[in-house]
Amino acid sequence: MTGMLASVTSITEANIAVNEKVDIIDLKNPREGALGALHVDILREVVKSINGAITTSATVGDINPNDPGLLEAINNIAKTGVDIVKVGLFDTQASDYFIKTISRAVEQGIRLVIVLFAEDYFDPKKYEALMQTGISGIMLDTKGKEGQNLTSILGTDILSDFINISRHYRLMTGLAGSLKYKDIEALLKINPDYLGFRGALCSGNKRINQLDEFKIKKIRNAIPQTENINYYFKNSIEEALINGTMA
């Protein structure tokens, strides 16, 4: 089953997403880049308000993968209580430093989803070392949010290969990147674990605008509801497999 992720910027938007029964709330600041980070106080406020009712993730920001402060940034987000910390690989390949940093975060018990970018993506096998670090999931997104979206940069064959290789390593898989309502039918056929949206959920289809409840309903209705998406975050991958929630 494929779940629906909605990116939100505030407790007000988080409550809207919860009311519309999205599967994952992703906290980010779209005014600060592809994976712009929200202030930790906002993250704590949302986590406290939701109180475990829905899976939460949050981004660390558009940080260079070789930044010496990367591990500290990951820890700061993890301490807010979100279920998943998302880290972008803003490079064409994962350096030894990045892999070691991610491995250290995993060893500390932090559940990570690594974000790869369609503009840099061409050979899934070059990410295999990263996929074996113990991360919880991996996703494809886009750096640019104006112009081409994920499906116009990468064809469904490439996206399907990405999902299959990721699943070989028992990773949760996600697709995002200015996805539109019209993209959903084709992407559901390749069965990612979730599809992520921001701009398509906002008034005027602009990611910096407020969420529009009607738009959320429309996309929610197009993606079959699943009650098991939390297994990917709150339990082990093995339990997800046992319960049949991973295709």
Side-chain angles (χ1 to χ4, degrees), residues 92 116-122 140-146 148-150 153-154:
T92 56
L116 308 179
F117 294 99
E119 292 91 338
D120 299 328
Y121 186 84
F122 63 92
L140 276 171
D141 201 337
T142 57
K143 290 179 183 177
K145 301 302 179 181
E146 302 293 336
Q148 287 187 307
N149 74 348
L150 179 72
I153 297 173
L154 300 176

Side-chain angles (χ1 to χ4, degrees), residues 13-222:
E13 289 194 344
N15 288 332
I16 292 172
V18 170
N19 290 338
E20 297 304 328
K21 296 180 170 54
V22 306
D23 299 298
I24 307 170
I25 287 177
D26 179 49
L27 292 139
K28 69 167 61 168
N29 184 354
R31 294 182 181 274
E32 297 293 332
L35 299 179
L38 288 169
H39 194 280
V40 292
D41 289 344
I42 297 176
L43 302 185
R44 291 192 187 99
E45 182 182 25
V46 172
V47 170
K48 182 179 180 180
S49 174
I50 291 172
N51 194 29
I54 191 170
T55 298
T56 56
S57 66
T59 58
V60 301
D62 288 12
I63 300 177
N64 185 296
N66 296 311
D67 191 310
L70 178 58
L71 183 59
E72 181 181 4
I74 293 172
N75 277 306
N76 287 340
I77 299 299
K79 288 175 183 176
T80 66
V82 294
D83 297 307
I84 287 287
V85 178
K86 289 171 62 180
V87 181
L89 177 57
F90 287 89
D91 204 343
T92 56
Q93 60 184 0
S95 66
D96 289 342
Y97 172 81
F98 185 75
I99 290 174
K100 288 179 181 178
T101 301
I102 295 304
S103 297
R104 287 180 63 188
V106 170
E107 289 168 2
Q108 293 173 13
I110 300 173
R111 299 189 180 214
L112 296 177
V113 166
I114 302 301
V115 182
L116 308 179
F117 294 99
E119 292 91 338
D120 299 328
Y121 186 84
F122 63 92
D123 181 5
K125 292 184 178 180
K126 72 176 182 176
Y127 303 105
E128 288 183 336
L130 182 59
M131 292 180 180
Q132 297 178 72
T133 55
I135 58 176
S136 297
I138 196 162
M139 69 177 293
L140 276 171
D141 201 337
T142 57
K143 290 179 183 177
K145 301 302 179 181
E146 302 293 336
Q148 287 187 307
N149 74 348
L150 179 72
T151 58
S152 60
I153 297 173
L154 300 176
T156 53
D157 288 347
I158 295 175
L159 296 176
S160 181
D161 285 344
F162 162 75
I163 290 167
N164 291 334
I165 290 173
S166 301
R167 287 225 172 100
H168 174 75
Y169 292 102
R170 297 187 174 185
L171 298 178
M172 180 185 65
T173 57
L175 301 177
S178 300
L179 296 181
K180 300 176 175 60
Y181 177 82
K182 67 179 182 180
D183 297 316
I184 295 173
E185 183 178 1
L187 294 179
L188 287 179
K189 291 178 181 178
I190 60 176
N191 201 28
D193 292 313
Y194 67 90
L195 296 176
F197 300 88
R198 174 62 192 179
L201 306 179
C202 296
S203 59
N205 295 322
K206 294 186 178 297
R207 65 196 300 264
I208 62 172
N209 290 349
Q210 292 295 307
L211 291 184
D212 182 316
E213 293 180 40
F214 173 79
K215 290 178 178 292
I216 300 175
K217 287 180 186 292
K218 182 178 180 180
I219 288 180
R220 172 74 279 181
N221 289 337

